Amino acid sequence: MSKSIAGPEIERLIQLLGKLPGLGPRSARRAALTLVKRKEALLAPLARACTEVNEKVGVCTVCGNVDTVDPCSICRDPRRDDSTIVVVEDVSDLWALERAGAMAARYHVLGGVMSPLDGIGPDDLNIRSLIERCRSGRVGEVILAVNATVEGQTTAHYITGEIAGLRADGIDVTVTRLAHGVPVGGELDYLDDGTLAAALKARTRF
Amino acid sequence: MTRPARDRAIEGTSRERAIEGTSRERAIEEISRERAIEEISHERVLESSLGERDAAEVLRAPGPDAFGRAPGVPARVAVTGLKLADFRNYAALSLELDERHVVLAGDNGAGKTNLIEAVSLLSPGRGLRRATLDEMARTGAGGTFAVAAVLDGPDGAVRIGTGVTEPDAAAGERSRRVRIDGAAQKSAEAMLDHIRVLWLTPASDGLFTGPAAERRRFLDRLVLALDPAHGTRVAAFERAMRGRNRLIEEGMRDPGWLDAIEAQMAELGSAIAAARVEAVACLAGLIAATREDHGAFPHAELALEGEIEALAAASGPAGAVEDRYRAILAGARERDRAAGRTLDGPHRADLRVLHGPKQMPAELSSTGEQKALLLGLVLAHARLVGATVGRAPLLLLDEVAAHLDGRRRAALFDVLDSLGGQCWLTGTDAAVFAPLGARAQVFEVAAGRVLPGAGPAR
């Protein structure tokens, strides 16, 4: 479509950068130019960092997180509570929860949500491994931190059903989900009806 | 199930105010994060105390409110400026309007419907022709178009812009962008905070005789005007249902997965049914209360048909409908597999309409009677939206007036005035609209050009 301006190597770099989220062809061009201009300060260290990550990165066989060690640093961390697992759709959600730093728990990354229309079923996600972790007997609570979309909620329902099925084997795990309601620092007057109703329903003792 | 209309009106306006508040707050934040928080919250306090006083006055005082409006009359929202770029047969158009009704007269094919189609894009969805974005773009314009309107309403002047801006995107990836006062909006539903648009076109003439899907769409548009969340729910339900259909078709290997999807369908489906039952009850109540007001149009009697809707209409404990629907779905998997689709649910509902004075099903009435019945229904809907939302909807009537006799036409024009909103009317002959006199501004439409017509000056 667009005529190439630079040599094939730089064009290739621009093409690859353009595949990154948030970067269009124009911003990829700008990024590539910055890299080329600041060869020593940016381009070389970036290339080395990429090589290094590429050699070491992998998916944690326990929780599905990405890290350079397996099991990942979160799964290895001895200070974390083994009895609580927070279930998230994607690594980005795990990072968001870790940023908040509200809980020293273990995680389980599903790698997506169930969607029959996209051909993604429970076997395409890390659901079996979650059930196996529950079966180990060390888990007391599973916190479902999935998105409030149809697919997210369907997945949450499914996992709840599977965990309830463990009760037949004498394994009792409490399943909870994140509260829906008033955001921190929010004002009631500005909330939509659905959120307000959910917040009232899920009220807590003061 | 139905609460008094007055309660509803208050609820509607306060909800509206809350939504306005949020978008306004967002806009302020975007313009300048530096601005003192104190200043904003002070403004907000002033705003909310004023708002409460208005509501109280409207309810208690029998006389006109602080703005000289009669109690219960919804605020007028009018399009006072319209600009089109590359929309249908309009390469570029700029129209200056006042808040009176708008009459568009011109020959067939001149572009009258195109113009009101552009106005219909001031509501979420695909406009009054349900056209694709590609169809709306002028041939040769590379798939982009823009509609910009200036609204004059209770919030003062508001600019709404909508259209397709990315010329390079593949046909399937193009989406309609919405800007309000220059700020990009995440969803087209943001427009509902400022304006509601309703329409009636000759394409609806077969509504009563046609397939139930058309009436369901009509019904959902009716619900949507009262409950902005309805559209999202219907879309989510349909997605979940398509998922269930796919699982059933593939042999239902995982019953747990079906359970999970059916739980979602039950939750969404029961909410959809409840919203429909409530909207139909409201509209039926309003028609019953106002039916002598405009005797030129026969009143309609409405009945909602559908299994889940019937459950929702019967009073019962909360959650009972959801549980029942879930059980129905779980029990019907084998049958649905044989049928190749889900046979129970709100996607099978129908709106049955009865010609009130004759007690005859609408579909058996004469063509003329059906038209009058439908028009009466749309007018009642407009009145209900005005009462609920607190601002009169913009009404687009395409080729409607010409088919009425003189008495009904005069009655229509009077009803339009009583609704309190701006109305856009099209017709081939400007003379038909003469009884509107100075209540309307007349334009002649010819080959993509719009010129002030021979109507009486203000």
Side-chain angles (χ1 to χ4, degrees), chain A residues 114-118 120-122 150-151 153-154 157-158 187 189-190 193, chain B residues 15 18 21-22 44 236 239-240 242-243 246 254 256-257 260-261 263-264:
Chain A
M114 288 158 62
S115 167
L117 297 174
D118 300 315
I120 301 170
V150 171
E151 283 86 1
Q153 294 306 303
T154 302
H157 251 286
Y158 181 82
E187 288 181 50
D189 197 17
Y190 291 83
D193 298 356
Chain B
R15 182 199 303 162
T22 3
R44 205 184 283 161
R239 190 167 168 79
R242 283 206 309 275
R246 178 72 64 89
D254 193 338
W257 193 355
I261 277 199
Q264 287 296 300

Side-chain angles (χ1 to χ4, degrees), chain B residues 197-218:
Chain B
V197 189
L198 305 176
W199 54 80
L200 182 61
T201 71
S204 315
D205 282 352
L207 186 76
F208 300 127
T209 49
E214 292 291 323
R215 284 185 294 281
R216 220 160 31 236
R217 195 172 289 122
F218 181 84

Side-chain angles (χ1 to χ4, degrees), chain B residues 413-436:
Chain B
F413 296 155
D414 289 340
V415 175
L416 293 184
D417 280 342
S418 77
L419 288 175
Q422 191 185 40
C423 178
W424 291 55
L425 301 124
T426 71
T428 46
D429 183 6
V432 164
F433 303 100
L436 271 171

Side-chain angles (χ1 to χ4, degrees), chain B residues 6 96 255 336 340 359 366 413 434 449:
Chain B
R6 208 180 64 171
E96 298 236 343
D336 286 352
Q359 289 295 302
S366 77
F413 296 155
R449 292 168 61 85

Side-chain angles (χ1 to χ4, degrees), chain B residues 385-418:
Chain B
V385 170
T388 316
V389 174
R391 35 185 91 194
L394 200 72
L395 199 55
L396 311 175
L397 300 179
D398 192 16
E399 301 283 349
V400 168
H403 301 290
L404 302 173
D405 55 45
R407 182 183 68 94
R408 282 209 171 122
R409 210 179 297 141
L412 169 66
F413 296 155
D414 289 340
V415 175
L416 293 184
D417 280 342
S418 77

Side-chain angles (χ1 to χ4, degrees), chain A:
Chain A
M1 193 169 65
S2 57
K3 218 171 59 186
S4 64
I5 304 163
E9 296 85 359
I10 295 179
E11 280 299 330
R12 174 104 185 107
L13 177 64
I14 292 170
Q15 243 179 37
L16 288 171
L17 285 172
K19 289 191 197 285
L20 297 178
L23 287 191
R26 199 179 291 265
S27 36
R29 235 161 243 291
R30 272 213 327 255
L33 187 59
T34 309
L35 287 171
V36 173
K37 273 185 183 165
R38 305 182 58 192
K39 200 169 162 238
E40 292 310 316
L42 273 177
L43 186 57
L46 182 73
R48 274 197 300 277
C50 285
T51 314
E52 232 168 287
V53 170
N54 180 40
E55 276 163 8
K56 290 189 180 160
V57 81
V59 174
C60 172
T61 45
V62 178
C63 72
N65 187 17
V66 290
D67 205 341
T68 50
V69 284
D70 184 19
C72 72
S73 355
I74 291 178
C75 289
R76 285 162 183 254
D77 188 346
R79 286 161 302 178
R80 286 176 188 265
D81 177 9
D82 268 334
S83 67
T84 310
I85 296 182
V86 184
V87 177
V88 292
E89 286 178 21
D90 201 65
V91 177
S92 61
D93 301 325
L94 186 158
W95 286 357
L97 288 169
E98 276 300 289
R99 270 203 309 278
M103 205 161 201
R106 307 281 180 200
Y107 287 93
H108 199 85
V109 182
L110 295 175
V113 280
M114 288 158 62
S115 167
L117 297 174
D118 300 315
I120 301 170
D123 299 333
D124 303 307
L125 304 171
N126 295 324
I127 291 181
R128 298 288 149 235
S129 54
L130 173 66
I131 304 304
E132 285 316 307
R133 281 177 86 181
C134 292
R135 205 181 277 282
S136 73
R138 284 201 301 272
V139 181
E141 181 180 0
V142 165
I143 304 172
L144 298 174
V146 291
N147 292 324
T149 55
V150 171
E151 283 86 1
Q153 294 306 303
T154 302
T155 311
H157 251 286
Y158 181 82
I159 293 174
T160 312
E162 293 292 295
I163 290 178
L166 291 175
R167 220 167 280 155
D169 303 337
I171 295 163
D172 200 4
V173 178
T174 311
V175 181
T176 56
R177 60 157 192 155
L178 297 189
H180 295 178
V182 185
V184 175
E187 288 181 50
L188 297 191
D189 197 17
Y190 291 83
L191 287 182
D192 67 279
D193 298 356
T195 310
L196 269 179
L200 267 177
K201 228 163 112 184
R203 66 188 180 278
T204 51
R205 189 175 282 276
F206 197 52

Side-chain angles (χ1 to χ4, degrees), chain B residues 98-121:
Chain B
D98 54 54
E99 61 168 24
R100 292 177 297 163
H101 300 311
V102 179
V103 166
L104 303 171
D107 294 339
N108 295 327
K112 304 184 295 291
T113 307
N114 291 349
L115 201 51
I116 60 169
E117 183 186 28
V119 177
S120 74
L121 290 181

